[in-house]
Amino acid sequence: MNAPRPQTHHIFAHRGFSGHQPEMTIAAFRAAIDWAAETGLRLGLECDVQFSADDQLICLHDSRIDRTSTTTGVAFDFTVAELKAIDFGSRQTPNPTDEQRTLITLAELLIMVRDARQRDVDVTLAIETKHPNPRGLDTEDRVAAMLAEHGWDRAGSPVRIISFSMEALIKAGQLLPELERTYLQQFDFGEYETGKLPDGIEAFGPDIAMLKADPDFVARARDNGHEVHPWTLNEPADIDFALSLGVQGLTTDYPDRVWGHVNAPSRA
């Protein structure tokens, strides 16, 4: 097998390797780490975090568990032990394994990333703090404290903080001034249409639909010294479009599919 070409783009595994495994489960993040180990590529693991009823940060996108589990309810109303007993795998995978059924906590994911990096697997972590939530900016305080326990609260950390909330990113910048931050956007660029972000926030993370409506935005952002990491790039046409604009990061449910396009012979 030929060695892969040098990696020039950040690839982020959206909610783990969610194209092949139930999102935000132990299996989804293990599969992403295994893929990074097999390919030798750097891979960011993207996760959303919010509080459980017993004051722990869990990795879950929605405020409710209805879409991804066989149970209904608000995630904040369940303890971690209760969430661990709920099946988060069957909606995507027939006869799921224990790891495919089981939601992961941020503490567990940090340990997985630490252990993988100790094996020289080049994985990083993009932690999305979910807002609004019942605890507000407590989320940023807790994330910062947990990262400090791993020594990941300073320059050289394998972690970036991402959020749709500018207030949350500003708070994260106060707590973790040496970490990279990404401002996520879904509908319009608003006051940031010029491509300029507040000092210290490195990247934009727009919905790919926003770039289709305003493809020149990538150039404006780059002219202001910012990277652009669109989401969620699963279809070949979207991947090719984003690459044609010169984005630096690609968030996807299928890291293998994105790498195939980044590494296509036509781009050699």
Side-chain angles (χ1 to χ4, degrees):
M1 178 182 295
N2 294 328
R5 288 172 52 201
Q7 190 169 353
T8 56
H9 295 79
H10 304 290
I11 301 176
F12 298 96
H14 186 232
R15 308 177 194 174
F17 211 137
S18 57
H20 296 300
Q21 298 289 343
E23 68 177 62
M24 298 291 195
T25 59
I26 294 173
F29 290 104
R30 192 176 305 284
I33 290 169
D34 288 347
W35 184 81
E38 291 164 6
T39 61
L41 297 171
R42 173 174 293 179
L43 181 64
L45 310 180
E46 188 267 350
C47 69
D48 307 85
V49 296
Q50 48 194 312
F51 279 102
S52 64
D54 55 340
D55 195 42
Q56 297 187 57
L57 285 181
I58 57 171
C59 297
L60 186 70
H61 179 270
D62 302 355
S63 60
R64 298 185 62 89
I65 63 173
D66 306 40
R67 179 179 62 85
T68 54
S69 84
T70 57
T71 304
T72 61
V74 177
F76 188 79
D77 291 337
F78 293 88
T79 67
V80 166
E82 290 169 337
L83 289 165
K84 290 284 190 181
I86 293 171
D87 179 357
F88 283 88
S90 290
R91 284 190 175 274
Q92 181 171 339
T93 303
N95 303 312
T97 65
D98 286 345
E99 289 198 346
Q100 289 173 321
R101 290 168 52 95
T102 306
L103 197 71
I104 195 168
T105 66
L106 180 60
E108 291 169 335
L109 182 54
L110 290 173
I111 290 170
M112 285 182 70
V113 170
R114 179 202 68 192
D115 291 350
R117 291 179 62 83
Q118 288 176 350
R119 302 194 308 270
D120 294 323
V121 181
D122 195 1
V123 287
T124 63
L125 191 58
I127 300 175
E128 180 183 341
T129 59
K130 298 297 287 186
H131 295 276
N133 70 72
R135 297 277 296 274
L137 297 178
D138 286 356
T139 308
E140 282 65 35
D141 287 314
R142 181 64 58 81
V143 168
M146 293 175 72
L147 293 181
E149 292 175 4
H150 289 268
W152 290 346
D153 57 339
R154 57 185 72 98
S157 168
V159 179
R160 73 168 55 231
I161 306 299
I162 68 178
S163 185
F164 285 95
S165 167
M166 181 58 73
E167 183 183 13
L169 287 180
I170 291 171
K171 176 69 176 292
Q174 294 167 350
L175 296 168
L176 301 161
E178 298 180 11
L179 267 59
E180 295 178 337
R181 288 170 284 158
T182 300
Y183 182 42
L184 303 174
Q185 293 176 295
Q186 186 167 11
F187 300 112
D188 62 72
F189 293 108
E191 64 184 291
Y192 306 104
E193 186 177 6
T194 61
K196 175 65 176 173
L197 283 167
D199 290 347
I201 300 178
E202 178 208 24
F204 284 94
D207 184 337
I208 186 62
M210 295 172 63
L211 297 186
K212 290 178 180 178
D214 185 1
D216 293 335
F217 177 80
V218 174
R220 297 200 300 274
R222 295 187 67 161
D223 286 346
N224 280 286
H226 300 302
E227 295 191 354
V228 180
H229 302 169
W231 52 272
T232 303
L233 303 175
N234 293 334
E235 299 307 318
D238 286 345
I239 299 167
D240 287 335
F241 174 72
L243 291 171
S244 74
L245 297 180
V247 304
Q248 297 93 336
L250 306 101
T251 298
T252 178
D253 299 333
Y254 299 92
D256 49 352
R257 192 180 293 178
V258 165
W259 178 246
H261 278 259
V262 171
N263 205 34
S266 62
R267 298 184 188 280

